[in-house]
Amino acid sequence: MTFEPDVIVVGAGLAGLVATHELVKAGRRVLVLDQENRANLGGQAFWSLGGLMFVDSPEQRRLGVKDSYELALRDWLDSAGFDREDEDHWARKWAEAYVRFAATEKRQYLRDLGLRVTPMVGWAERGGGAAGGHGNSVPRFHLTWGTGPEVVRVFAEPVLDGERRGLVRFAFRHQVDELVVEDGAAVGVRGTVLVPSEEERGHKSSREKAGEFELRAKAVLVSSGGIGHNHELVRRNWPVERLGPVPTTMIPGVPAHVDGRMIAITETAGANVVNRDRMWHYTEGIHNWDPIWPDHAIRIIPGPSSLWFDATGQRLPAPNFPGFDTNGSLKTILATGHDYSWFVLTQTILEKEFMLSGSEQNPDITGKDLRQTLVARASGGAPGPVDAFKQHGVDFVVAQDVPTLVEGMNKLSRGPRIDAAELARQIVARDLEVGNPYSKDLQLMAVANARRFIGDRVARVVKPHRFLDPAHGPLIAVRLNILTRKTLGGVQTTLDSQAVRDDGSPFPGLYAAGEVAGFGGGGVHGYNALEGTFLGGCIFSGRAAGRAMARAVG
């Protein structure tokens, strides 16, 4: 290979593309390595819903949302709960810098690349019920028009243009096994050339060896993602004391190539890896009836109205409501001694409040088809992909009455049998509260609060109704599984995305960005994420890395 790069980028996911884009703008030569084939350019981000957190955006202001850097930073720090002096040193600085980015440059930076968002702002991760606790005080979740593929496109296109101009080379099916360090500085990589693969995007590929390589550059960026599909690593790092016992059954919400192997490789080279026990896994996972990768799972992004029951058939205690506190609900579910739970809802709720995470599950928005989007969202009935899961998903039970519903739930149970009379009692108790515009039921209070926001009232949250009213039927139960997704810890980095050694000193020539770096600093989210922040973390840390490396190798 005669191409002599200034920088080697390990991982062609979003963070790697962003960094490469910045390097190309600066006129630097970049070699991008990835263990997958070209079809997987953009990595895991391609499959995402494309959620982005902006603060005090025009979209928020048009909907009457009053947001600010100060409010967003308070929410972030209260949610993060940084409590480790050394491991959180850079993470806290990253948090302050990222929230400032979200409140200032971020939106225009992306608009200049051609990215647009939908006019509705979502209220994700609504929190644990206290002003000074975890959660978003206001709606901040901006949905990309085009979802994940569009986020990838706006960075991939200028990088591919750089390839045409001779500034970028890709080496796909190159699996890095070692970072080359000389005189204390990273100067290259060694690894395995894998046999060619013609697999479609997301499909599992062979790890058969075809050769070896050693490549050198003035700087190396590791942007290889997290551990989400590597359940062995998830189990090994699971925070039992904080979240409860390791789930027996977990389903992966990311492709098989999200294996986390570069984290250990980077640590072996001398970088400091921190906050291994911080993870972000979802409680609303369902098996995909039409899978792309092995054990492909999807997350339900729910509105707040479904009733949530544990495996024994008892309603989860407040404030464990759908879409409120991911880790809090995960801990509550695992404390029962079981690793699954249930949503019980009506057809009316399904039609308006169920959204499925994933670009492929939202073809109208992903395809940027305005007519299809308006028709699909306004024509009544459940969105096509949601209805398909209702019809074909192994986790769904549909029935006209509670006894028949419970009979179906017990057939899917991985634990105790649910008592139909007890489930009916709890549903009736909730239904009796609907007769007045006020209630002692905290979930109904939360629904009323949500409907005060025009975005939720129009597009996301149904008017409260009785579950046992046949006009809103049939009844639906959904078995919810633990879905593995994000790594919140990783390689510790400075604000330039430069890797840090165990002694706190910068690692010459070595940088890390995206999920492998805990989305910045070795864990910018702390213990909890506010959502719409993972793609943003890849963008912000990738941008910082690209600009810093451009200066360093110039």
Side-chain angles (χ1 to χ4, degrees):
M1 182 178 291
T2 58
F3 183 73
E4 296 184 2
D6 297 307
V7 173
I8 292 173
V9 172
V10 182
L14 180 60
L17 287 178
V18 175
T20 303
H21 164 62
E22 292 292 339
L23 286 159
V24 168
K25 284 200 303 182
R28 307 297 184 252
R29 297 181 303 277
V30 188
L31 175 61
V32 183
L33 309 182
D34 200 284
Q35 64 184 0
E36 300 305 315
N37 61 20
R38 185 179 284 265
N40 288 276
L41 191 66
Q44 186 181 337
F46 180 90
W47 301 108
S48 75
L49 190 60
L52 295 165
M53 176 180 140
F54 296 128
V55 176
D56 191 28
S57 70
E59 291 78 18
Q60 286 175 299
R61 293 194 294 270
R62 280 195 292 268
L63 294 172
V65 175
K66 297 180 180 180
D67 201 4
S68 66
Y69 169 74
E70 291 76 18
L71 180 61
L73 182 61
R74 191 203 70 189
D75 284 349
W76 191 291
L77 295 179
D78 287 345
S79 298
F82 294 126
D83 59 1
R84 298 169 177 172
E85 182 176 354
D86 294 330
E87 295 191 14
D88 288 336
H89 171 74
W90 284 108
R92 182 184 292 272
K93 293 179 182 294
W94 270 91
E96 294 169 353
Y98 177 71
V99 175
R100 187 175 297 109
F101 178 61
T104 54
E105 298 177 72
K106 181 180 177 183
R107 185 175 182 276
Q108 192 60 50
Y109 177 71
L110 294 171
R111 283 184 67 85
D112 288 346
L113 287 163
L115 185 139
R116 300 292 183 267
V117 296
T118 64
M120 300 305 293
V121 182
W123 197 350
E125 201 65 14
R126 301 175 190 227
H134 166 59
N136 284 295
S137 295
V138 298
R140 296 189 177 107
F141 189 91
H142 296 69
L143 180 59
T144 297
W145 182 235
T147 68
E150 181 70 359
V151 179
V152 171
R153 180 193 69 79
V154 300
F155 290 102
E157 286 188 351
V159 168
L160 293 173
D161 180 66
E163 182 183 27
R164 286 187 291 271
R165 293 189 287 122
L167 289 173
V168 177
R169 284 279 183 91
F170 288 99
F172 294 105
R173 303 296 287 162
H174 279 56
Q175 179 180 271
V176 173
D177 301 320
E178 180 185 358
L179 298 177
V180 180
V181 179
E182 295 178 353
D183 298 326
V187 296
V189 295
R190 297 189 185 100
T192 302
V193 179
L194 302 175
V195 296
S197 168
E198 300 300 324
E199 297 287 350
E200 296 180 12
R201 180 187 287 273
H203 289 234
K204 187 175 182 179
S205 63
S206 167
R207 290 295 177 264
E208 183 181 349
K209 181 177 178 179
E212 297 178 345
F213 67 86
E214 178 173 331
L215 300 163
R216 295 189 170 230
K218 300 173 185 175
V220 176
L221 170 68
V222 178
S223 53
S224 54
I227 68 173
H229 200 104
N230 189 334
H231 286 181
E232 179 184 350
L233 277 179
V234 172
R235 295 177 192 281
R236 188 186 308 168
N237 294 307
W238 189 271
V240 174
E241 292 185 1
R242 180 161 51 84
L243 292 181
V246 182
T248 301
T249 299
M250 296 186 288
I251 53 180
V254 292
H257 61 74
V258 185
D259 56 19
R261 62 188 304 277
M262 280 303 301
I263 296 175
I265 290 169
T266 307
E267 184 177 32
T268 298
N272 195 30
V273 174
V274 296
N275 300 315
R276 303 171 197 270
D277 63 319
R278 294 180 184 170
M279 311 174 188
W280 193 248
H281 305 308
Y282 292 110
T283 55
E284 312 99 336
I286 54 177
H287 296 82
N288 194 344
W289 65 274
D290 186 20
I292 296 171
W293 54 79
D295 303 317
H296 186 181
I298 295 293
R299 181 204 174 199
I300 296 170
I301 303 177
S305 300
S306 297
L307 292 177
W308 204 343
F309 295 91
D310 65 25
T312 71
Q314 293 300 307
R315 194 173 171 190
L316 296 191
N320 294 294
F321 310 136
F324 273 67
D325 185 347
T326 295
N327 275 339
S329 296
L330 177 60
K331 182 177 181 179
T332 299
I333 290 165
L334 294 178
T336 68
H338 306 286
D339 57 15
Y340 67 100
S341 59
W342 295 94
F343 278 165
V344 173
L345 59 146
T346 65
Q347 177 70 22
T348 299
I349 293 173
L350 181 85
E351 292 177 0
K352 191 168 185 176
E353 294 199 7
F354 265 35
M355 190 173 191
L356 300 174
S357 181
S359 55
E360 82 284 5
Q361 300 298 327
N362 296 272
D364 50 347
I365 300 174
T366 299
K368 297 191 287 186
D369 188 325
L370 182 59
R371 182 178 180 279
Q372 184 185 1
T373 300
L374 293 174
V375 169
R377 310 285 160 163
S379 60
V386 172
D387 190 64
F389 269 87
K390 176 189 166 187
Q391 299 296 327
H392 306 294
V394 298
D395 298 295
F396 282 70
V397 180
V398 182
Q400 297 298 328
D401 55 64
V402 174
T404 307
L405 187 77
V406 171
E407 181 181 354
M409 294 167 71
N410 284 333
K411 289 180 180 178
L412 295 180
S413 172
R414 295 196 297 266
R417 292 181 62 83
I418 294 172
D419 181 78
E422 175 60 14
L423 193 78
R425 182 193 67 77
Q426 296 173 82
I427 294 173
V428 169
R430 180 264 179 206
D431 278 3
L432 288 172
E433 295 289 310
V434 178
N436 294 291
Y438 40 84
S439 171
K440 71 177 182 181
D441 187 283
L442 289 175
Q443 185 172 4
L444 285 173
M445 292 183 194
V447 170
N449 182 55
R451 285 179 57 81
R452 293 176 65 188
F453 169 50
I454 187 172
D456 274 352
R457 186 171 67 252
V458 170
R460 196 74 174 103
V461 182
V462 300
K463 182 178 180 180
H465 57 272
R466 287 184 169 88
F467 273 51
L468 300 183
D469 181 349
H472 295 282
L475 290 169
I476 301 165
V478 187
R479 182 183 60 182
L480 306 174
N481 309 275
I482 307 304
L483 178 143
T484 58
R485 184 64 69 83
K486 296 299 181 184
T487 310
L488 298 189
V491 179
Q492 193 171 35
T493 60
T494 70
L495 288 177
D496 282 335
S497 289
Q498 187 171 9
V500 173
R501 295 184 178 278
D502 290 346
D503 63 4
S505 63
F507 194 136
L510 185 60
Y511 297 78
E515 193 171 353
V516 74
F519 300 94
V524 66
H525 296 93
Y527 291 101
N528 291 285
L530 292 177
E531 297 290 8
T533 56
F534 299 124
L535 294 178
C538 289
I539 292 167
F540 188 51
S541 61
R543 187 179 87 144
R547 292 181 175 185
M549 289 187 296
R551 294 191 298 270
V553 304

